[in-house]
Amino acid sequence: GTPLLLLTVSYLSQPQYPLGPDTEQTIVAASHALTEAILVLSDSLTPTRSQAIQYSIQSISQRAFILAPLTFCSKHNQHEASHALATLIATIVTEEIDQLITQPADSLLPLLLQIQAHPRIPVAITVLEVWLTVQDVPTRDRHEHWKVPLFQQLMHVLLRRLAYPSTQFTTWDEEFELEEQHFMEFR
């Protein structure tokens, strides 16, 4: 229950971790555990779940929940952990959109936009479902943060991401920083 949530959020709020494969796997396991808990439909709309979601979202600004380990994992090329963390926040938002979209999102939206701009396309692609979910909610039912300014910022991020890798791009054979398959999938 609650103590496990507190411990997991605390672990996924640390700015530093020991380097090594065990650390990455622990971050992945913690992210997967929370993701699976969110996908349990039997506790949807319960007060306990609402409190857990609220605590998780508040922990983004108060404790750097998801943001701190995502920054660490990105810096240390721990791609599997980065993907698991991105999947966790995308799942929270898509599953709890009705609760979240009516509230301010000072810390949540910058985190989602940071993930959308992540240099690894498999990580960035995880939050695309969030934007599709948001667009299904009528604008009148959204907090101001979830309206036009958000989508203007998002368009800038997506347009940069959809452009070919560099001005010198000629063929995929000469491109070393980006895989063609990932680029085309994102596009």
Side-chain angles (χ1 to χ4, degrees):
T2 304
L4 187 56
L5 174 66
L6 297 176
L7 287 171
T8 308
V9 167
S10 177
Y11 181 74
L12 292 178
S13 300
Q14 295 178 36
Q16 293 290 331
Y17 299 86
L19 288 176
D22 292 342
T23 299
E24 182 171 22
Q25 289 311 308
T26 305
I27 293 170
V28 168
S31 299
H32 282 262
L34 282 180
T35 301
E36 291 301 317
I38 291 160
L39 293 172
V40 173
L41 297 178
S42 62
D43 72 339
S44 290
L45 305 175
T46 64
T48 303
R49 177 158 176 140
S50 293
Q51 290 170 351
I53 296 301
Q54 204 60 27
Y55 174 74
S56 299
I57 296 301
Q58 288 173 350
S59 293
I60 294 171
S61 63
Q62 296 171 356
R63 305 179 76 174
F65 174 56
I66 299 175
L67 177 60
L70 180 67
T71 302
F72 174 86
C73 292
S74 297
K75 179 180 175 183
H76 296 286
N77 295 317
Q78 295 184 344
H79 307 306
E80 187 180 355
S82 295
H83 188 268
L85 290 159
T87 299
L88 170 58
I89 193 60
T91 302
I92 290 172
V93 175
T94 56
E95 292 297 315
E96 301 298 329
I97 193 68
D98 293 336
Q99 177 182 346
L100 297 175
I101 203 158
T102 61
Q103 302 172 15
D106 294 323
S107 300
L108 177 59
L109 291 176
L111 173 59
L112 292 169
L113 289 167
Q114 179 180 335
I115 293 168
Q116 189 66 76
H118 195 277
R120 300 270 308 160
I121 289 178
V123 174
I125 212 165
T126 59
V127 294
L128 286 176
E129 187 65 32
V130 169
W131 313 125
L132 295 173
T133 303
V134 168
Q135 82 174 6
D136 290 341
V137 177
T139 309
R140 70 179 175 277
D141 297 338
R142 301 181 204 168
H143 184 276
E144 288 301 313
H145 290 170
W146 295 91
K147 293 183 180 180
V148 172
L150 164 65
F151 283 93
Q152 288 174 335
Q153 291 175 316
L154 177 60
M155 287 308 301
H156 290 292
V157 171
L158 291 175
L159 287 173
R160 278 193 303 273
R161 184 39 75 55
L162 293 171
Y164 280 99
S166 70
T167 56
Q168 293 83 27
F169 179 85
T170 54
T171 69
W172 286 107
D173 294 334
E174 297 171 15
E175 179 59 43
F176 300 109
E177 293 182 25
L178 184 65
E179 291 184 36
E180 179 181 13
Q181 176 187 354
H182 290 159
F183 179 77
M184 293 308 202
E185 182 180 338
F186 190 85
R187 245 178 168 208

